[in-house]
Amino acid sequence: MKRMKAIYPGSFDPLTNGHLDLIERGSKIFGELVVAILRNSEKAPLFSVEERMEMLKATTKSLGNVRVDTFEGLLVDYVAKQEASVVLRGIRAISDYEYELQMALMNRKLSPNIETVFMMPADTYSYLSSRLVKEVFQLGGSVRGLVPEIVEERLREKVNGQSKLKKAGRE
Ligand code: PNS
């Protein structure tokens, strides 16, 4: 595994401590790990790809074999272009399994040489998702300990910026 290059793809909108836990675990197993942010997501993201990239780079800079990149189009095409052989994904609970199985099998159908490897983040993060982090924060709840500090800061800036904009619109 130490010689293998793996791609950890996702939306990371925003990065959570669950993602970070998986990145740290993956970096110990694989020779090189590329965290790849999807560019052409249909979802309306809270953070731009550049903002997500900045947060990911800041939090992974101490991990020498981890790189952050973006991709668009099919994941398997990106994996091939990177000359990687593994896709790394996290599974938090059984509820993740069906979606992840579908993706892994579709990717295998498209590209039989690429293997998907699943890892479990620490159980303390098993309930954690970017969607819940955004919801809780936007409704005034605390996300301390659930996201890296830089993400908490950026969430504060973003949400304050949005409420100022809304207020200005009403005036
Ligand atoms: O963090 P997410 O949103 O669960 O990540 C999903 C992601 C980015 C891994 C998935 O949507 C993806 O790989 N998209 C790229 C397009 C693609 O290859 N689709 C077919 C995969 S089955």
Side-chain angles (χ1 to χ4, degrees), residues 52-85:
R52 285 179 264 160
M53 181 115 172
E54 185 225 340
M55 291 184 270
L56 265 161
K57 277 188 174 166
T59 40
T60 58
K61 62 173 186 274
S62 61
L63 302 169
N65 63 343
V66 173
R67 199 158 57 76
V68 186
D69 194 12
T70 63
F71 77 105
E72 49 196 338
L74 278 180
L75 174 63
V76 289
D77 290 343
Y78 174 75
V79 175
K81 218 166 68 197
Q82 288 290 314
E83 296 180 343
S85 49

Side-chain angles (χ1 to χ4, degrees), residues 7-91:
I7 309 293
Y8 177 35
S11 306
F12 306 104
D13 183 41
L15 168 74
T16 68
N17 282 346
H19 293 129
L20 200 55
D21 180 272
L22 211 80
I23 293 170
E24 283 164 1
R25 286 173 200 280
S27 77
K28 285 185 200 145
I29 287 190
F30 298 104
E32 196 183 341
L33 183 66
V34 181
V35 183
I37 308 167
L38 177 65
R39 267 197 180 274
N40 55 346
S41 170
E42 283 166 22
K43 304 174 207 165
L46 179 64
F47 290 100
S48 69
V49 169
E50 287 66 32
E51 288 169 325
R52 285 179 264 160
M53 181 115 172
E54 185 225 340
M55 291 184 270
L56 265 161
K57 277 188 174 166
T59 40
T60 58
K61 62 173 186 274
S62 61
L63 302 169
N65 63 343
V66 173
R67 199 158 57 76
V68 186
D69 194 12
T70 63
F71 77 105
E72 49 196 338
L74 278 180
L75 174 63
V76 289
D77 290 343
Y78 174 75
V79 175
K81 218 166 68 197
Q82 288 290 314
E83 296 180 343
S85 49
V86 172
V87 171
L88 174 65
R89 290 285 290 172
I91 289 210

Side-chain angles (χ1 to χ4, degrees), residues 115-131:
E115 285 299 337
T116 301
V117 170
F118 294 112
M119 291 181 80
M120 286 154 293
D123 57 357
T124 33
Y125 303 128
S126 61
Y127 62 94
L128 190 55
S129 70
S130 299
R131 187 182 62 78

